[in-house]
Amino acid sequence: MKHSLGIDAGGTYTDAVILRDSDGKIIDHGKARTTYPDLLDGIQEVLDGLDQSFLEKVSLVSVSTTLATNTILEGTGYPVALIMIGEEVPNDSSIKYSISVQGGHSSGGNEKYPLDMDLIKEFVGEVQDKVSSFAVSSYFSVRNPDHELKAREVIDEMTGMPVICGHELSQSLGAYERGVTAYLNAQLLPISTRFMETVASEIDRRGIDAKLMMLKCDGSIVGMKEALKHPIESIFTGPAASLVGASYLAKSKDCLVIDVGGTSTDVAMVIDNLPEITDEGATVGGWPTKVEAIRMETSAMGGDSHVWVKNHNVFIGPRRVVPLCVAASKYPEITTKLKKGQSILKSQLGENIQPTKFFIRTKQEPIELTEREEDLLSRIKDVPLTVNDIYWDSKALPSPMVMASLIQKRLVQAIGFTPTDALHVLGEYDEWDSEASRVGAKALGYFADLNADEIAGKVKDEVAMNMAQNLLSYVFNDLEDSQINKVVRGNHYGGFHVDVPVVLLGGPVQAYVNDMQKLVDAEIILPEYAEVGNAVGALAGKGIKRIEVLIRPNFGESKYNLRPSSVSLFYPGGNETFKSHEEAVQAAREIGHRLVMEYMHEAELDEGEITIDVDRKDVQVHGVGIPMETRFTFLGVGDIKMGKKDIRI
């Protein structure tokens, strides 16, 4: 009897489940702390905790991860240079290395301006030693990618570094958004590649002969080789996994899902067994992309979000830290140091200078450090230290900006008070060292004029209201957040009603069931195995591919000519010209079906049943005999072949 293994590597936990292929039943599951930044130890630990006799029978392994999402939210991606062709980079962009050069094409695919190759070469020469890869996006490259391809060729010749082109990731209009998509994809290449290679090597080391798959951010599953090409498509695989997994566990084809992870809280929806997809492209951490993903409401507040105080105010996030309770389980001296306290003035408080914050060096090797970064890093050891420990021989405390830079570069891991600690203080969760959490709450509360229970309760209430706010912002997306927030936080004789079930996923979400029932009028479901729902979702997804093909007539130079001289057909990766609209329509149908099936083959999804639905929309103009625009959308859905029986929601 064959089994399937689902693995989800989140920012906090690495989860695993084994499903029996014959009936889709969960026969084993486990959790382990995600080891950061090297994920191997966490993956090995969670697999070691499973029944090894079940592992021997695994024929399919599918994975998901929130690591890409967290990397963008925390700003810890690798340095990348962006080259925009025929389009300006906004002045308020936070991209450090970028340039705009002449070039680009028209909507018909004709060259608008010649490509300024000399300026590209000059820019590449200046930044190649400061970045890990390049991203290129050109104006209307979805109609003609020639300038992007030429830029990539010269960058490859000069540097040999990875180059990501916008047209490869999206066929949607918006050159800058495609540029951002390519930029983020390039940032994530080393991180995603390392993760995927780690999983593959561990599966191979254990002698498991299985097909390797990965969940994408639209809730679909692809083969590992295809996933390696576009790591940006994994930015929301964690939320996508929770969405698909929650629907599977709750046995509900229509439901809303709230997933409380370590770094973020995410809300999304399943409609008729398929995730709801955004029309605009995913936005994460304020970055607008053209990645086709699930429609989602997300916030940088999770179980591991840093709780800190300043000017008597309590803040949560957006940075993630290791909870005190978790760290103290490995380093008991943390509790001792918390009891002893630190010499910190209220005026010195900031996100990185807190009475409950510790710092420990990671195994990451440093690259391009400033003198101040080198000095601070040399003081941080492989055991948790307070800022007083780090600068015991100096009257000055470390610069918050320098410390933030070391954390962003993954050279230092921070430890601090979190919502997970708050639940330990309140007695609603006892997985780790509760004493460390309580001592930390007392130390933190001193600077906020609150006792330990009060600050823990305040943090829990804030997390619950954030969950409700995210949920309602998703459902009532035409309302301003301020309006929703006013109702959620107010004291009214009414509130919001939600018609579909709301499924909760995440480690300690059971602590928030009653809170959610008070804040939202809805059926709140806490399914069995909610704590490993993401790993279930890694297996329960389907193969999904959407292809758009566009047909437009060409009328020549005269605006009074109502008979087209030809008809253009645009599709991912190319364009063709036809004499008549009928010929273009026939070709569009053939090309759409072919591209869907080619994708299914490359993504290793062509072994199961595949259905292709086609939607056609025509834009008619009075007096013109043929449509001014015909847009075909092809939706291919394939079930994964798993043993004797496909797993279906």
Side-chain angles (χ1 to χ4, degrees):
M1 184 177 294
K2 296 294 185 181
H3 302 325
S4 297
L5 170 66
I7 301 173
D8 175 72
T12 306
Y13 289 102
T14 295
D15 303 334
V17 297
I18 298 179
L19 269 65
R20 187 166 54 209
D21 290 356
S22 59
D23 58 7
K25 182 179 179 181
I26 296 174
I27 57 175
D28 200 5
H29 70 285
K31 293 180 76 71
R33 291 290 299 189
T34 296
T35 46
Y36 186 83
D38 185 1
L39 305 177
L40 181 59
D41 291 345
I43 293 173
Q44 289 179 338
E45 183 180 346
V46 76
L47 294 182
D48 286 341
L50 298 175
D51 188 318
Q52 300 304 298
S53 65
F54 291 156
L55 275 181
E56 293 174 0
K57 299 176 182 178
V58 166
S59 59
L60 174 72
V61 178
S62 186
V63 300
S64 66
T65 179
T66 61
L67 294 177
T69 310
N70 297 344
T71 296
I72 298 171
L73 287 174
E74 296 176 347
T76 53
Y78 283 70
V80 173
L82 172 64
I83 298 174
M84 291 297 306
I85 301 173
E87 180 84 356
E88 293 293 326
V89 177
N91 293 329
D92 59 353
S93 171
S94 60
I95 298 175
K96 186 175 182 180
Y97 305 108
S98 65
I99 191 173
S100 300
V101 302
Q102 180 179 280
H105 290 76
S106 68
S107 60
N110 300 312
E111 186 177 74
K112 192 173 182 181
Y113 300 104
L115 179 61
D116 191 341
M117 193 65 76
D118 291 336
L119 189 55
I120 290 177
K121 292 179 179 178
E122 181 182 342
F123 173 72
V124 171
E126 291 175 353
V127 304
Q128 61 180 332
D129 295 331
K130 303 174 184 178
V131 300
S132 62
S133 54
F134 289 82
V136 182
S137 181
S138 178
Y139 192 70
F140 269 112
S141 63
V142 295
R143 299 289 186 261
N144 190 334
D146 182 58
H147 285 181
E148 288 185 3
L149 296 174
K150 286 181 177 178
R152 176 164 65 184
E153 183 179 353
V154 74
I155 295 171
D156 181 60
E157 291 175 354
M158 292 179 64
T159 70
M161 292 180 177
V163 183
I164 308 301
C165 294
H167 79 275
E168 298 173 315
L169 301 172
S170 172
Q171 284 298 299
S172 298
L173 299 180
Y176 175 65
E177 288 77 9
R178 286 197 308 277
V180 167
T181 306
Y183 171 80
L184 295 177
N185 192 80
Q187 274 195 336
L188 298 171
L189 275 173
I191 298 166
S192 296
T193 299
R194 188 181 303 119
F195 166 68
M196 296 175 191
E197 290 176 347
T198 296
V199 173
S201 64
E202 183 59 21
I203 295 300
D204 184 63
R205 186 185 72 82
R206 292 173 180 268
I208 299 174
D209 184 16
K211 177 187 288 188
L212 295 179
M213 311 291 286
M214 185 169 183
L215 198 72
K216 291 171 55 180
C217 55
D218 62 355
S220 65
I221 291 181
V222 297
M224 194 67 79
K225 291 181 180 178
E226 179 68 18
L228 277 170
K229 297 178 184 177
H230 304 148
I232 184 63
E233 294 180 348
S234 71
I235 53 172
F236 286 137
T237 57
S242 70
L243 182 63
V244 177
S247 179
Y248 184 93
L249 293 174
K251 297 179 175 60
S252 178
K253 68 175 185 178
D254 300 304
C255 63
L256 284 153
V257 178
I258 303 178
D259 178 24
V260 182
T263 306
S264 63
T265 295
D266 307 305
V267 177
M269 187 172 186
V270 166
I271 303 174
D272 196 22
N273 286 335
L274 290 178
E276 184 179 7
I277 302 299
T278 178
D279 294 329
E280 300 176 353
T283 298
V284 58
W287 291 101
T289 77
K290 285 298 182 181
V291 176
E292 187 174 76
I294 58 174
R295 185 170 83 84
M296 182 173 64
E297 189 75 25
T298 186
S299 65
M301 185 182 296
D304 287 358
S305 294
H306 182 212
V307 177
W308 51 290
V309 297
K310 185 176 177 63
N311 298 330
H312 302 284
N313 295 314
V314 180
F315 301 91
I316 304 178
R319 293 285 186 178
R320 170 189 173 273
V321 296
V322 177
L324 292 174
C325 56
V326 175
S329 298
K330 183 176 181 180
Y331 304 101
E333 63 267 28
I334 284 179
T335 304
T336 302
K337 290 185 177 183
L338 285 170
K339 290 179 178 178
K340 183 179 179 181
Q342 298 185 61
S343 299
I344 298 176
L345 301 176
K346 289 186 177 181
S347 60
Q348 295 173 320
L349 290 176
E351 186 179 359
N352 281 319
I353 299 179
Q354 291 286 305
T356 52
K357 199 154 190 183
F358 296 79
F359 304 91
I360 188 169
R361 188 162 179 169
T362 71
K363 297 178 182 179
Q364 185 88 359
E365 291 299 322
I367 300 175
E368 278 195 80
L369 296 183
T370 66
E371 184 177 337
R372 297 177 71 190
E373 288 174 338
E374 288 180 353
D375 174 64
L376 180 54
L377 185 61
S378 69
R379 296 171 178 269
I380 301 175
K381 310 303 178 184
D382 56 1
V383 294
L385 299 177
T386 66
V387 289
N388 284 173
D389 294 330
I390 295 169
Y391 272 68
W392 66 271
D393 60 347
S394 173
K395 294 182 179 179
L397 291 177
S399 163
M401 293 184 64
V402 177
M403 182 66 81
S405 178
L406 293 179
I407 294 172
Q408 183 175 354
K409 293 179 179 180
R410 301 172 180 267
L411 299 171
V412 172
Q413 174 66 63
I415 299 166
F417 194 83
T418 67
T420 299
D421 288 298
L423 294 181
H424 278 74
V425 173
L426 298 171
E428 299 186 32
Y429 193 50
D430 59 357
E431 184 76 14
W432 308 98
D433 188 336
S434 296
E435 183 185 8
S437 298
R438 176 160 286 278
V439 177
K442 183 178 179 180
L444 202 63
Y446 170 78
F447 290 94
D449 294 329
L450 299 168
N451 63 37
D453 288 330
E454 287 172 339
I455 195 168
K458 184 179 181 67
V459 170
K460 186 197 172 189
D461 289 345
E462 190 62 34
V463 172
M465 285 188 285
N466 182 71
M467 291 168 62
Q469 171 95 23
N470 276 17
L471 173 70
L472 297 171
S473 293
Y474 184 97
V475 176
F476 303 98
N477 59 350
D478 56 342
L479 296 181
E480 295 290 337
D481 285 346
S482 59
Q483 295 174 299
I484 295 173
N485 188 52
K486 189 174 182 179
V487 175
V488 170
R489 296 176 182 274
N491 186 16
H492 308 283
Y493 291 104
F496 288 100
H497 172 76
V498 176
D499 290 331
V500 298
V502 176
V503 185
L504 302 185
L505 284 191
V509 288
Q510 68 272 11
Y512 297 99
V513 173
N514 292 336
D515 300 80
M516 289 302 298
Q517 288 175 333
K518 293 177 183 177
L519 293 168
V520 181
D521 178 19
E523 178 187 2
I524 307 296
I525 298 177
L526 180 66
E528 186 180 10
Y529 303 114
E531 70 278 13
V532 291
N534 286 26
V536 174
L539 285 172
K542 301 174 182 290
I544 303 172
K545 184 61 178 178
R546 295 172 179 83
I547 295 288
E548 282 197 356
V549 180
L550 179 67
I551 299 173
R552 282 184 172 175
N554 302 312
F555 290 97
E557 296 182 2
S558 175
K559 62 181 180 180
Y560 301 107
N561 184 5
L562 299 182
R563 291 178 58 85
S565 56
S566 61
V567 178
S568 292
L569 172 67
F570 302 98
Y571 56 90
N575 60 78
E576 296 181 22
T577 301
F578 297 88
K579 293 182 179 180
S580 70
H581 185 264
E582 290 75 15
E583 289 179 322
V585 167
Q586 182 179 350
R589 293 185 179 277
E590 294 173 356
I591 290 172
H593 279 80
R594 173 174 58 81
L595 290 177
V596 168
M597 294 307 299
E598 285 179 355
Y599 172 84
M600 292 294 181
H601 176 72
E602 292 173 0
E604 303 174 57
L605 297 166
D606 55 351
E607 295 180 1
E609 180 182 348
I610 298 173
T611 60
I612 302 177
D613 292 329
V614 183
D615 178 64
R616 172 178 173 173
K617 292 182 179 179
D618 290 318
V619 177
Q620 298 281 1
V621 175
H622 180 70
V624 180
I626 64 173
M628 292 295 291
E629 178 178 291
T630 297
R631 187 180 299 270
F632 283 97
T633 301
F634 298 83
L635 175 62
V637 179
D639 286 315
I640 302 176
K641 193 76 170 179
M642 297 201 293
K644 297 180 181 179
K645 183 178 180 180
D646 293 344
I647 301 298
R648 299 176 185 272
I649 296 176

